[in-house]
Amino acid sequence: MFEDFRLRIFLTVAQEGGFTRAASVLGITQPSVSQNIAELERLVGVKLFERQRTEVILTPAGRIFKDYATRI
């Protein structure tokens, strides 16, 4: 079962385009954001983000997951 906060972290990272920016918006640390996203990816069994040097981009699976997470 997914925690509501973990979905909120996922959606914030997707919206902000980065873990550090999402951490700032959510008022938590960047390592906490990274840990929660890694755990979420482990739970769903797919990579949700492509990590690049200055930003993260949703993978195709991440875009599908975002649609579901937004509805929840």
Side-chain angles (χ1 to χ4, degrees):
M1 185 86 188
F2 301 117
E3 297 176 24
D4 291 340
F5 192 62
R6 193 168 285 151
L7 291 178
R8 192 165 138 212
I9 290 171
F10 168 79
L11 290 171
T12 304
V13 171
Q15 179 180 346
E16 296 297 322
F19 288 14
T20 302
R21 289 187 297 269
S24 179
V25 168
L26 294 166
I28 61 175
T29 65
Q30 184 274 330
S32 179
V33 170
S34 294
Q35 286 178 325
N36 277 280
I37 294 299
E39 178 66 14
L40 187 59
E41 288 177 327
R42 186 189 68 74
L43 287 170
V44 298
V46 295
K47 192 172 177 182
L48 299 171
F49 293 101
E50 287 294 332
R51 287 126 171 108
Q52 298 182 349
R53 185 167 168 81
T54 59
E55 67 181 341
V56 294
I57 299 169
L58 286 167
T59 63
R63 287 192 296 275
I64 293 167
F65 188 80
K66 182 177 180 254
D67 289 339
Y68 286 106
T70 301
R71 287 188 228 159
I72 293 171

